Amino acid sequence: MASTDADTPPLFFTKVLGSLRPANPAAHDALKAITGTVKVKITKATANQRRRGMYWLTLAVAAEVLADKTGDPWDAELLHKELKIVLKLGETFTTPSGREVFKPASTADAKMSEPERARWTDRTMAVLSTWCGVPVADLLTEARVRDAQ
């Protein structure tokens, strides 16, 4: 499953008995979608990528909490886009008629250093906690439980 969108969850796999096994929910989902042969690029996971993976897991947890509380179909991608808007990660342009258009910035590893990602993650966790009415620690604990599965 190839993706050119840098703002998607990273796919983590672990070597087990000479084979690659999905190591996070995004990798499990990607594996289910594969038909035929795929091209894989192997890179070592950095701390920045691991933080990015935990971010996406926490978004998925928060989306479930919000869906349960509101009855609306929240998902991680929608929360990611909305967090960029709310936390102003990007630029706003104004058309001659006065309409504002938001151009979000990328959160890809190449665009965000590790300290920047740490700050971004801290800011997003605070917002998600407020929106969900759940302490940040609880969101992160549930994400860690899912990461271990």
mmCIF file with all atom_site columns, all heavy atoms in Angstrom, residues 102-115:
data_model
loop_
_atom_site.group_PDB
_atom_site.id
_atom_site.type_symbol
_atom_site.label_atom_id
_atom_site.label_alt_id
_atom_site.label_comp_id
_atom_site.label_asym_id
_atom_site.label_entity_id
_atom_site.label_seq_id
_atom_site.pdbx_PDB_ins_code
_atom_site.Cartn_x
_atom_site.Cartn_y
_atom_site.Cartn_z
_atom_site.occupancy
_atom_site.B_iso_or_equiv
_atom_site.pdbx_formal_charge
_atom_site.auth_seq_id
_atom_site.auth_comp_id
_atom_site.auth_asym_id
_atom_site.auth_atom_id
_atom_site.pdbx_PDB_model_num
ATOM 1   N N   . PHE A 1 102 ? -7.419 28.383 4.583  1.00 0.00 ? 102 PHE A N   1
ATOM 2   C CA  . PHE A 1 102 ? -6.325 27.857 5.390  1.00 0.00 ? 102 PHE A CA  1
ATOM 3   C C   . PHE A 1 102 ? -5.534 26.829 4.596  1.00 0.00 ? 102 PHE A C   1
ATOM 4   O O   . PHE A 1 102 ? -6.100 25.888 4.043  1.00 0.00 ? 102 PHE A O   1
ATOM 5   C CB  . PHE A 1 102 ? -6.865 27.218 6.670  1.00 0.00 ? 102 PHE A CB  1
ATOM 6   C CG  . PHE A 1 102 ? -5.782 26.741 7.603  1.00 0.00 ? 102 PHE A CG  1
ATOM 7   C CD1 . PHE A 1 102 ? -5.031 27.651 8.328  1.00 0.00 ? 102 PHE A CD1 1
ATOM 8   C CD2 . PHE A 1 102 ? -5.511 25.398 7.742  1.00 0.00 ? 102 PHE A CD2 1
ATOM 9   C CE1 . PHE A 1 102 ? -4.030 27.225 9.190  1.00 0.00 ? 102 PHE A CE1 1
ATOM 10  C CE2 . PHE A 1 102 ? -4.515 24.956 8.595  1.00 0.00 ? 102 PHE A CE2 1
ATOM 11  C CZ  . PHE A 1 102 ? -3.769 25.873 9.327  1.00 0.00 ? 102 PHE A CZ  1
ATOM 12  N N   . LYS A 1 103 ? -4.214 27.019 4.546  1.00 0.00 ? 103 LYS A N   1
ATOM 13  C CA  . LYS A 1 103 ? -3.314 26.070 3.897  1.00 0.00 ? 103 LYS A CA  1
ATOM 14  C C   . LYS A 1 103 ? -2.514 25.382 5.006  1.00 0.00 ? 103 LYS A C   1
ATOM 15  O O   . LYS A 1 103 ? -1.598 25.981 5.577  1.00 0.00 ? 103 LYS A O   1
ATOM 16  C CB  . LYS A 1 103 ? -2.370 26.786 2.932  1.00 0.00 ? 103 LYS A CB  1
ATOM 17  C CG  . LYS A 1 103 ? -1.407 25.841 2.235  1.00 0.00 ? 103 LYS A CG  1
ATOM 18  C CD  . LYS A 1 103 ? -0.466 26.600 1.311  1.00 0.00 ? 103 LYS A CD  1
ATOM 19  C CE  . LYS A 1 103 ? 0.520  25.644 0.657  1.00 0.00 ? 103 LYS A CE  1
ATOM 20  N NZ  . LYS A 1 103 ? 1.495  26.364 -0.160 1.00 0.00 ? 103 LYS A NZ  1
ATOM 21  N N   . PRO A 1 104 ? -2.873 24.114 5.330  1.00 0.00 ? 104 PRO A N   1
ATOM 22  C CA  . PRO A 1 104 ? -2.185 23.447 6.436  1.00 0.00 ? 104 PRO A CA  1
ATOM 23  C C   . PRO A 1 104 ? -0.746 23.099 6.094  1.00 0.00 ? 104 PRO A C   1
ATOM 24  O O   . PRO A 1 104 ? -0.419 22.821 4.935  1.00 0.00 ? 104 PRO A O   1
ATOM 25  C CB  . PRO A 1 104 ? -3.018 22.177 6.653  1.00 0.00 ? 104 PRO A CB  1
ATOM 26  C CG  . PRO A 1 104 ? -3.732 21.949 5.366  1.00 0.00 ? 104 PRO A CG  1
ATOM 27  C CD  . PRO A 1 104 ? -3.907 23.299 4.725  1.00 0.00 ? 104 PRO A CD  1
ATOM 28  N N   . ALA A 1 105 ? 0.106  23.131 7.102  1.00 0.00 ? 105 ALA A N   1
ATOM 29  C CA  . ALA A 1 105 ? 1.500  22.709 6.945  1.00 0.00 ? 105 ALA A CA  1
ATOM 30  C C   . ALA A 1 105 ? 1.571  21.200 7.140  1.00 0.00 ? 105 ALA A C   1
ATOM 31  O O   . ALA A 1 105 ? 0.687  20.582 7.740  1.00 0.00 ? 105 ALA A O   1
ATOM 32  C CB  . ALA A 1 105 ? 2.382  23.417 7.969  1.00 0.00 ? 105 ALA A CB  1
ATOM 33  N N   . SER A 1 106 ? 2.632  20.612 6.665  1.00 0.00 ? 106 SER A N   1
ATOM 34  C CA  . SER A 1 106 ? 2.834  19.168 6.781  1.00 0.00 ? 106 SER A CA  1
ATOM 35  C C   . SER A 1 106 ? 3.414  18.813 8.148  1.00 0.00 ? 106 SER A C   1
ATOM 36  O O   . SER A 1 106 ? 4.183  19.574 8.729  1.00 0.00 ? 106 SER A O   1
ATOM 37  C CB  . SER A 1 106 ? 3.785  18.697 5.687  1.00 0.00 ? 106 SER A CB  1
ATOM 38  O OG  . SER A 1 106 ? 4.092  17.328 5.857  1.00 0.00 ? 106 SER A OG  1
ATOM 39  N N   . THR A 1 107 ? 3.057  17.633 8.616  1.00 0.00 ? 107 THR A N   1
ATOM 40  C CA  . THR A 1 107 ? 3.651  17.103 9.843  1.00 0.00 ? 107 THR A CA  1
ATOM 41  C C   . THR A 1 107 ? 4.580  15.932 9.535  1.00 0.00 ? 107 THR A C   1
ATOM 42  O O   . THR A 1 107 ? 4.949  15.177 10.426 1.00 0.00 ? 107 THR A O   1
ATOM 43  C CB  . THR A 1 107 ? 2.564  16.643 10.840 1.00 0.00 ? 107 THR A CB  1
ATOM 44  O OG1 . THR A 1 107 ? 1.769  15.627 10.222 1.00 0.00 ? 107 THR A OG1 1
ATOM 45  C CG2 . THR A 1 107 ? 1.696  17.798 11.294 1.00 0.00 ? 107 THR A CG2 1
ATOM 46  N N   . ALA A 1 108 ? 4.977  15.806 8.279  1.00 0.00 ? 108 ALA A N   1
ATOM 47  C CA  . ALA A 1 108 ? 5.879  14.722 7.882  1.00 0.00 ? 108 ALA A CA  1
ATOM 48  C C   . ALA A 1 108 ? 7.222  14.865 8.593  1.00 0.00 ? 108 ALA A C   1
ATOM 49  O O   . ALA A 1 108 ? 7.620  15.964 8.986  1.00 0.00 ? 108 ALA A O   1
ATOM 50  C CB  . ALA A 1 108 ? 6.090  14.750 6.371  1.00 0.00 ? 108 ALA A CB  1
ATOM 51  N N   . ASP A 1 109 ? 7.914  13.741 8.749  1.00 0.00 ? 109 ASP A N   1
ATOM 52  C CA  . ASP A 1 109 ? 9.212  13.755 9.425  1.00 0.00 ? 109 ASP A CA  1
ATOM 53  C C   . ASP A 1 109 ? 10.174 14.763 8.809  1.00 0.00 ? 109 ASP A C   1
ATOM 54  O O   . ASP A 1 109 ? 10.914 15.426 9.520  1.00 0.00 ? 109 ASP A O   1
ATOM 55  C CB  . ASP A 1 109 ? 9.848  12.363 9.399  1.00 0.00 ? 109 ASP A CB  1
ATOM 56  C CG  . ASP A 1 109 ? 9.107  11.384 10.303 1.00 0.00 ? 109 ASP A CG  1
ATOM 57  O OD1 . ASP A 1 109 ? 8.366  11.829 11.196 1.00 0.00 ? 109 ASP A OD1 1
ATOM 58  O OD2 . ASP A 1 109 ? 9.274  10.173 10.105 1.00 0.00 ? 109 ASP A OD2 1
ATOM 59  N N   . ALA A 1 110 ? 10.170 14.873 7.490  1.00 0.00 ? 110 ALA A N   1
ATOM 60  C CA  . ALA A 1 110 ? 11.087 15.791 6.811  1.00 0.00 ? 110 ALA A CA  1
ATOM 61  C C   . ALA A 1 110 ? 10.736 17.255 7.058  1.00 0.00 ? 110 ALA A C   1
ATOM 62  O O   . ALA A 1 110 ? 11.579 18.132 6.895  1.00 0.00 ? 110 ALA A O   1
ATOM 63  C CB  . ALA A 1 110 ? 11.087 15.509 5.308  1.00 0.00 ? 110 ALA A CB  1
ATOM 64  N N   . LYS A 1 111 ? 9.510  17.512 7.469  1.00 0.00 ? 111 LYS A N   1
ATOM 65  C CA  . LYS A 1 111 ? 9.049  18.897 7.671  1.00 0.00 ? 111 LYS A CA  1
ATOM 66  C C   . LYS A 1 111 ? 9.026  19.330 9.130  1.00 0.00 ? 111 LYS A C   1
ATOM 67  O O   . LYS A 1 111 ? 8.880  20.512 9.424  1.00 0.00 ? 111 LYS A O   1
ATOM 68  C CB  . LYS A 1 111 ? 7.637  19.062 7.104  1.00 0.00 ? 111 LYS A CB  1
ATOM 69  C CG  . LYS A 1 111 ? 7.515  18.741 5.642  1.00 0.00 ? 111 LYS A CG  1
ATOM 70  C CD  . LYS A 1 111 ? 8.192  19.779 4.805  1.00 0.00 ? 111 LYS A CD  1
ATOM 71  C CE  . LYS A 1 111 ? 7.965  19.484 3.330  1.00 0.00 ? 111 LYS A CE  1
ATOM 72  N NZ  . LYS A 1 111 ? 8.639  20.400 2.471  1.00 0.00 ? 111 LYS A NZ  1
ATOM 73  N N   . MET A 1 112 ? 9.152  18.369 10.052 1.00 0.00 ? 112 MET A N   1
ATOM 74  C CA  . MET A 1 112 ? 9.012  18.687 11.468 1.00 0.00 ? 112 MET A CA  1
ATOM 75  C C   . MET A 1 112 ? 10.142 17.999 12.234 1.00 0.00 ? 112 MET A C   1
ATOM 76  O O   . MET A 1 112 ? 10.241 16.782 12.226 1.00 0.00 ? 112 MET A O   1
ATOM 77  C CB  . MET A 1 112 ? 7.639  18.191 11.948 1.00 0.00 ? 112 MET A CB  1
ATOM 78  C CG  . MET A 1 112 ? 7.170  18.796 13.219 1.00 0.00 ? 112 MET A CG  1
ATOM 79  S SD  . MET A 1 112 ? 5.461  18.271 13.613 1.00 0.00 ? 112 MET A SD  1
ATOM 80  C CE  . MET A 1 112 ? 4.547  19.700 13.055 1.00 0.00 ? 112 MET A CE  1
ATOM 81  N N   . SER A 1 113 ? 10.980 18.805 12.872 1.00 0.00 ? 113 SER A N   1
ATOM 82  C CA  . SER A 1 113 ? 12.079 18.247 13.657 1.00 0.00 ? 113 SER A CA  1
ATOM 83  C C   . SER A 1 113 ? 11.511 17.550 14.905 1.00 0.00 ? 113 SER A C   1
ATOM 84  O O   . SER A 1 113 ? 10.344 17.734 15.256 1.00 0.00 ? 113 SER A O   1
ATOM 85  C CB  . SER A 1 113 ? 13.046 19.348 14.086 1.00 0.00 ? 113 SER A CB  1
ATOM 86  O OG  . SER A 1 113 ? 12.424 20.199 15.037 1.00 0.00 ? 113 SER A OG  1
ATOM 87  N N   . GLU A 1 114 ? 12.360 16.801 15.580 1.00 0.00 ? 114 GLU A N   1
ATOM 88  C CA  . GLU A 1 114 ? 11.890 16.107 16.785 1.00 0.00 ? 114 GLU A CA  1
ATOM 89  C C   . GLU A 1 114 ? 11.393 17.077 17.854 1.00 0.00 ? 114 GLU A C   1
ATOM 90  O O   . GLU A 1 114 ? 10.316 16.861 18.427 1.00 0.00 ? 114 GLU A O   1
ATOM 91  C CB  . GLU A 1 114 ? 12.976 15.181 17.332 1.00 0.00 ? 114 GLU A CB  1
ATOM 92  C CG  . GLU A 1 114 ? 12.428 14.228 18.361 1.00 0.00 ? 114 GLU A CG  1
ATOM 93  C CD  . GLU A 1 114 ? 13.365 13.083 18.669 1.00 0.00 ? 114 GLU A CD  1
ATOM 94  O OE1 . GLU A 1 114 ? 14.266 12.798 17.884 1.00 0.00 ? 114 GLU A OE1 1
ATOM 95  O OE2 . GLU A 1 114 ? 13.167 12.487 19.733 1.00 0.00 ? 114 GLU A OE2 1
ATOM 96  N N   . PRO A 1 115 ? 12.122 18.174 18.163 1.00 0.00 ? 115 PRO A N   1
ATOM 97  C CA  . PRO A 1 115 ? 11.584 19.128 19.149 1.00 0.00 ? 115 PRO A CA  1
ATOM 98  C C   . PRO A 1 115 ? 10.260 19.770 18.695 1.00 0.00 ? 115 PRO A C   1
ATOM 99  O O   . PRO A 1 115 ? 9.362  19.969 19.509 1.00 0.00 ? 115 PRO A O   1
ATOM 100 C CB  . PRO A 1 115 ? 12.684 20.188 19.278 1.00 0.00 ? 115 PRO A CB  1
ATOM 101 C CG  . PRO A 1 115 ? 13.931 19.489 18.858 1.00 0.00 ? 115 PRO A CG  1
ATOM 102 C CD  . PRO A 1 115 ? 13.505 18.521 17.795 1.00 0.00 ? 115 PRO A CD  1
#
